Amino acid sequence: MIRALVAIVVAAFASPALAADWVLQTIPAAGPIKVIETLPDGPAVLIGAGWFRIHADGNRYRLVATAGPSQRPLPPNALPDATIAEGPREIARAWLADPTKRYDHGVLGDAIEAESLVVERRDGRRDVVRLPDDAVFEDLRPRIAQLGGSDKILAVKSYLARGSALAVIGERNGRYEIVAETPPIGAPHRWLNPAGIADFNGDGEANIALVRMPHAVGRLELWSWRNGALHKTLELGDVCNHVSGSRALRMSAVADFDGDKRVDLAIPSFDRRRLRLIAFAPSVREIGSFALPSPAITDFALMTDVAGHPAVLFGLENGALVLARRP
């Protein structure tokens, strides 16, 4: 059993609202943490072959055995390890399909990527967004979000010769297709990973945070959707939200961490040995940063602590399960 005492790591915070106000608490587990899944009713943790839920008694947390996530059958021709995204509005579901081996990068653990993306409307109609031979969807789960007042889908599109871009799929002339994308990074085997979609800068519209080359550069970029196009509004260094070869793509969390009614981003540093809390409004700044006893390695899951504040659950490279929270 991992027997870690409750570790309290207090950083030199940049904001008085957070000074000495966050702790890193280790939750005892019967083995190393493999996977963290965010389910509709809260996070589930995989240890060995067993799934566990987090049970809270005040500020004491323990793991309780539970059934694993339900495994819905994938549609025909879906990517074997794809996850179906579900939306509450005009787009009911979306998934990656038509596996192909034409791109040999393997950043997600194998050399099988998707040639197409399927969009299912609320009324059951489907559109297939198929890429030409010079690109693939190098992703596992589409992201459904409201941009410009309507549903859009975000997915990582990788050009075989020019590297990755973030593609925006929206409805145009009665069918879903790629309506915008960021410029490709510029060389093959150069990838990016979205980190969050929210109104980060406080302008009333959703922004897209992504990490360009999380394994080699670690550059956070913020993109805004205006007049049917993507516009980059800032860049910030020293971040990472993916481990090469891993299927954990959500190593970040979005919430109001400093209590100012604006959403912030929790994300590891480039070496994954610090947890960084970054605010974007009224200006970009680090509102908190503290050291981790081992590099972060799993998806992040948002929780709510006993006082109703957001907390972040994640696993470390040494197998520990930790919760970053206010006391």
Side-chain angles (χ1 to χ4, degrees):
M1 173 179 283
I2 297 174
R3 296 184 181 276
L5 295 175
V6 174
I8 298 179
V9 183
V10 180
F13 285 107
S15 166
L18 284 178
D21 205 22
W22 277 66
V23 299
L24 190 70
Q25 178 172 344
T26 300
I27 299 175
I33 305 304
K34 291 184 175 181
V35 173
I36 295 179
E37 288 278 355
T38 296
L39 305 178
D41 54 349
V45 178
L46 179 64
I47 302 172
W51 287 92
F52 297 83
R53 296 280 191 171
I54 309 296
H55 177 79
D57 180 11
N59 283 327
R60 293 179 177 271
Y61 298 86
R62 59 186 174 89
L63 296 177
V64 178
T66 187
S70 59
Q71 300 293 325
R72 297 185 181 181
L74 290 172
N77 297 325
L79 197 67
D81 53 356
T83 300
I84 298 175
E86 298 185 353
R89 295 173 293 270
E90 54 259 42
I91 296 177
R93 303 195 306 165
W95 63 89
L96 297 164
D98 295 315
T100 176
K101 293 185 177 180
R102 65 177 177 237
Y103 191 46
D104 62 352
H105 189 195
V107 73
L108 302 178
D110 59 33
I112 302 173
E113 310 303 343
E115 183 178 289
S116 65
L117 187 150
V118 181
V119 184
E120 184 177 277
R121 292 175 170 85
R122 186 64 53 194
D123 62 9
R125 290 179 297 151
R126 292 179 180 178
D127 288 333
V128 178
V129 181
R130 193 175 304 278
L131 296 179
D133 291 344
D134 69 340
V136 298
F137 287 114
E138 195 174 10
D139 214 334
L140 295 176
R141 179 177 184 166
R143 301 149 192 86
I144 303 173
Q146 282 265 301
L147 295 177
S150 64
D151 269 0
K152 304 290 192 300
I153 297 173
L154 307 180
V156 179
K157 174 184 177 182
S158 292
Y159 290 89
L160 276 59
R162 294 185 288 155
S164 296
L166 183 68
V168 179
I169 293 96
E171 190 174 21
R172 184 162 58 190
N173 300 323
R175 64 170 288 108
Y176 282 90
E177 59 184 46
I178 295 176
V179 295
E181 59 184 67
T182 63
I185 291 174
H189 299 176
R190 301 292 185 267
W191 185 72
L192 61 83
N193 188 27
I197 306 166
D199 180 14
F200 290 111
N201 60 14
D203 66 357
E205 296 288 340
N207 315 119
I208 303 160
L210 63 85
V211 179
R212 174 160 46 92
M213 298 175 64
H215 319 120
V217 173
R219 196 78 178 167
L220 180 69
E221 299 179 353
L222 197 68
W223 292 78
S224 294
W225 179 263
R226 296 196 306 271
N227 302 319
L230 291 167
H231 302 269
K232 184 164 60 175
T233 58
L234 68 84
E235 293 190 17
L236 181 69
D238 190 22
V239 295
C240 177
N241 64 343
H242 183 253
V243 177
S244 184
S246 170
R247 284 171 164 73
L249 298 183
R250 291 174 288 175
M251 197 182 293
S252 57
V254 175
D256 176 12
F257 293 115
D258 60 358
D260 68 351
K261 310 302 182 183
R262 302 184 179 108
V263 292
D264 312 305
L265 181 68
I267 193 167
S269 60
F270 182 60
D271 63 4
R272 295 180 286 116
R273 291 182 176 276
R274 286 188 300 121
L275 180 65
R276 303 186 65 192
L277 304 178
I278 300 170
F280 299 89
S283 61
V284 62
R285 64 203 185 281
E286 186 176 82
I287 54 176
S289 173
F290 55 89
L292 303 175
S294 180
I297 198 171
T298 70
D299 286 328
F300 284 15
L302 271 177
M303 294 179 58
T304 302
D305 68 13
V306 67
H309 300 135
V312 184
L313 181 77
F314 55 101
L316 303 180
E317 206 169 85
N318 65 4
L321 177 66
V322 296
L323 183 71
R325 63 171 181 83
R326 295 187 185 187

